[in-house]
């Protein structure tokens, strides 16, 4: 049992309500969940993660039902009570927790949140839900029933009419845990044998040569050789970037939006002779890059710089540039369910403008004959092929190359998220003559 600061252990459902409330106020799950995990008993950490991820994953479905169950909206200062009720509805509708236990624990958590007045409210709302859940479910519109915000649901169906149901299903599923084998320290076959010898069920990926899917997620510390760098955690779709970049020995390579460093490390695992600069605009996130490089005993120059205006690299040239651009993350919703709460339709245009600025900022750094790989974790055309089309129109000397992966798009290839497969990533490749 891990005591929280001050020696007290937080109620798990109250901790989940606190996290979800902060996300509803605009914080990202990655920002607030790690600290909350330290406030609960170690045996309850997985439950806290499940309550937070699950409640946010189902939020577009749960919120309209909660609104119907409340006689009047809760005040903004009672956001934690709202989040607690949402977590209660999640337990009753999407988990195997017995109804009586979910209700009792949620009601008790109101006291842990220092909202004893809300005990009666929680009890009444959750018990009414149990009586009326079928009626409430029937009143949901299509987007809410699919646990997606209306705008994203419509965008997916508009852009991927044939694949929409599969994308929605993937977005609502718990993602698989995928490993990247460090080929410097052994083959994928060797590591699969090691996993089998340790009773860990796993299978090889079908797209990336180093990818292994675990049958069940597990703590990385229990993975054989993780601390020694034999494997890293990285989705199979992300592992394709290093191959598509096609760097050759001794190339000067720029990973322009490098944090947290997964693609940087993969490139160096495949070829340690690369002269690699790992750059990111966020110095805090670059700490993760350094940590990953250290764990894997790899070496790269780490640089804080804005890819849209790389002043420190002026006059330098790279044979390969990897641009894993900031985006809506609409292809990795299953790993970041807070996107359903935080993202707005207007964000897509803002990301597209930022992505285009980054491409224009980096283009002068590409050496003659060099290759630039543009990657996003989005499934929305405006950020992907649409950005590359604008870039090519403004940069007539740039040569568009085929990206032989996924669904063929006007300027690249698109992998779509799959329940037991890769994340949804877009790849576009351009070359300087």
């Amino acid at each position: 049992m891990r005591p929280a600061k001050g020696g007290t252990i937080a109620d798990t459902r109250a901790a989940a309500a606190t996290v979800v409330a902060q996300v509803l106020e605009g914080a990202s799950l990655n920002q607030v969940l790690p600290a909350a995990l330290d406030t609960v008993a170690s045996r309850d950490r997985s439950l806290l993660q499940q309550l937070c991820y699950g409640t946010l994953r189902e939020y577009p479905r749960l919120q309209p039902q909660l609104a119907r169950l409340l006689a009047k909206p809760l005040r903004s200062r009672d956001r934690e009570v709202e989040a607690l009720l949402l977590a209660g509805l999640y337990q009753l509708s999407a988990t195997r927790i017995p109804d009586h236990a979910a209700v009792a624990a949620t009601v008790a958590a109101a006291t842990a949140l220092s909202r004893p007045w809300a005990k009666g409210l929680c009890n009444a709302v959750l018990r009414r839900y149990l009586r009326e859940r079928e009626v409430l479910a029937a009143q949901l519109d299509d987007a809410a029933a699919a646990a997606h915000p209306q705008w994203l649901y419509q965008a997916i169906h508009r852009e991927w009419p044939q694949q929409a149901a599969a994308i929605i299903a993937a977005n609502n599923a718990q993602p698989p845990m995928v490993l990247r084998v460090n080929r410097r320290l052994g083959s994928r076959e060797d590591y699969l044998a090691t996993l089998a010898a340790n009773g860990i069920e796993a299978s090889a990926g079908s797209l990336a040569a180093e990818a292994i899917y675990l049958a069940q997620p597990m703590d990385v510390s229990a993975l054989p050789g993780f601390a020694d760098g034999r494997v890293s955690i990285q989705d199979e779709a992300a592992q394709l970037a290093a191959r598509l970049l096609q760097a050759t020995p001794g190339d000067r390579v720029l990973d322009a939006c490098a944090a947290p460093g997964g693609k940087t490390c993969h490139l160096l695992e495949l070829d340690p002779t690369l002269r690699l600069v790992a750059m990111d605009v966020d110095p805090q996130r670059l700490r993760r890059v350094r940590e990953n490089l250290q764990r894997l005993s790899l070496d790269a120059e780490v640089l804080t710089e804005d890819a849209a205006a790389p002043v420190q690299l002026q006059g330098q040239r790279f044979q390969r540039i990897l641009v894993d651009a900031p985006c809506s993350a609409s292809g990795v919703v299953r790993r970041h369910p807070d996107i359903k709460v935080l993202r707005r339709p207007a964000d897509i245009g803002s990301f597209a403008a930022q992505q285009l600025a980054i491409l224009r900022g980096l283009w002068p750094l590409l050496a003659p004959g060099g290759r630039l790989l543009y990657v996003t974790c989005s499934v929305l055309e405006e950020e992907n092929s649409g950005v590359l089309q604008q870039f090519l129109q403004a940069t007539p000397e740039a040569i568009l190359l085929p990206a032989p992966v996924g669904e063929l798009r006007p300027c690249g290839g698109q992998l779509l998220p799959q329940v037991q497969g890769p994340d949804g990533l877009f790849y576009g490749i351009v070359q300087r003559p």
Side-chain angles (χ1 to χ4, degrees):
M1 182 177 296
R2 182 204 298 249
K5 292 180 179 178
T8 59
I9 300 299
D11 178 280
T12 306
R13 286 163 179 82
T18 301
V19 170
V20 171
Q22 291 179 79
V23 174
L24 296 181
E25 294 285 353
S28 77
L29 188 55
N30 285 342
Q31 286 177 315
V32 295
L33 180 57
L37 289 170
D38 287 336
T39 69
V40 301
S42 57
R43 64 173 182 273
D44 291 333
R45 299 185 86 197
S46 61
L47 175 59
L48 175 58
Q49 288 181 304
Q50 180 190 1
L51 292 174
C52 294
Y53 276 84
T55 301
L56 293 169
R57 189 172 287 129
E58 297 292 333
Y59 175 79
R61 179 178 65 83
L62 300 176
Q63 195 280 329
Q65 295 185 88
L66 176 59
R68 290 179 181 275
L69 290 166
L70 291 170
K72 59 181 181 181
L74 291 165
R75 299 167 296 185
S76 59
R77 65 185 183 186
D78 294 324
R79 187 75 76 192
E80 289 184 345
V81 175
E82 177 188 0
L84 179 62
L85 285 166
L86 290 166
L89 294 179
Y90 164 69
Q91 294 169 74
L92 295 177
S93 64
T95 75
R96 296 180 178 177
I97 299 172
D99 292 348
H100 69 278
V103 172
T106 303
V107 170
T111 300
L113 284 172
S114 301
R115 305 287 206 288
W117 61 265
K119 292 174 62 178
L121 175 69
C122 291
N123 190 54
V125 165
L126 297 182
R127 293 191 181 283
R128 183 182 166 197
Y129 172 79
L130 290 173
R131 294 192 301 271
E132 302 178 11
R133 53 182 157 190
E134 293 183 2
V135 173
L136 290 164
Q139 294 172 331
L140 297 172
D141 61 33
D142 290 345
H148 276 59
Q150 186 70 235
W151 74 269
L152 181 57
Y153 182 84
Q154 291 176 338
I156 291 171
H157 279 80
R158 181 177 62 248
E159 299 194 18
W160 301 99
Q162 302 301 319
Q163 301 89 346
I167 295 172
I168 295 290
N171 288 350
N172 289 338
Q174 185 173 340
M177 185 170 178
V178 186
L179 310 181
R180 183 190 76 233
V181 174
N182 185 348
R183 298 283 287 271
R184 297 174 67 201
L185 302 179
S187 70
R188 178 165 68 175
E189 290 69 27
D190 290 342
Y191 196 74
L192 281 167
T194 299
L195 291 175
N198 284 272
I200 301 172
E201 186 179 351
S203 58
S206 59
L207 299 175
E210 290 81 35
I212 289 178
Y213 285 73
L214 297 183
Q216 297 294 331
M218 60 188 297
D219 193 302
V220 295
S221 62
L223 285 169
F226 179 82
D228 301 325
R230 286 190 68 185
V231 291
S232 299
I233 310 301
Q234 188 180 40
D235 185 81
E236 185 176 24
Q239 296 185 35
L240 294 178
R243 299 288 186 181
L244 290 172
L245 196 61
Q246 293 189 5
T248 57
D251 273 352
R252 194 144 193 267
V253 177
L254 174 62
D255 188 354
C257 305
K263 296 180 181 68
T264 289
C265 292
H266 192 196
L267 284 163
L268 290 169
E269 287 172 359
L270 294 175
D271 186 352
T273 72
L274 298 178
R275 297 169 294 157
L276 200 146
V277 177
M279 185 172 86
D280 202 277
V281 71
D282 187 339
Q284 296 302 317
R285 298 190 72 218
L286 278 174
R287 292 173 56 186
R288 290 285 310 281
V289 178
R290 294 187 178 93
E291 291 169 0
N292 283 322
L293 287 167
Q294 183 175 13
R295 181 180 69 86
L296 296 166
S297 301
L298 298 170
D299 185 42
E301 179 183 352
V302 180
L303 181 67
T304 304
E305 181 71 289
D306 182 357
V311 177
Q312 299 176 72
L313 297 177
Q314 289 301 312
Q316 301 188 39
R317 294 292 182 270
F318 296 84
Q319 283 77 44
R320 296 290 185 270
I321 296 178
L322 170 59
V323 187
D324 186 1
C327 70
S328 65
S330 54
V332 291
V333 172
R334 59 183 183 173
R335 298 190 187 278
H336 304 280
D338 51 345
I339 288 169
K340 293 181 176 179
V341 176
L342 300 174
R343 202 69 77 224
R344 298 290 182 271
D347 295 340
I348 308 307
S350 298
F351 279 123
Q354 183 182 12
Q355 292 151 2
L356 184 59
I358 288 173
L359 288 176
R360 288 173 172 168
L362 293 173
W363 179 251
L365 306 182
L366 190 63
R371 166 182 287 227
L372 183 151
L373 174 63
Y374 173 69
V375 183
T376 77
C377 52
S378 170
V379 296
L380 302 178
E381 191 82 351
E382 184 176 354
E383 300 180 273
N384 297 336
S385 191
V387 167
L388 272 186
Q389 285 177 313
Q390 290 186 64
F391 173 74
L392 291 168
Q393 288 170 2
T395 317
E397 69 271 26
I399 302 169
L400 178 67
L401 300 179
V405 61
E407 304 280 344
L408 179 64
R409 308 306 287 171
C411 290
Q414 175 78 60
L415 272 180
L416 297 173
Q418 300 174 28
V419 172
Q420 292 299 326
D423 286 341
L425 265 65
F426 171 84
Y427 311 86
I429 306 170
V430 292
Q431 181 174 314
R432 181 185 283 280

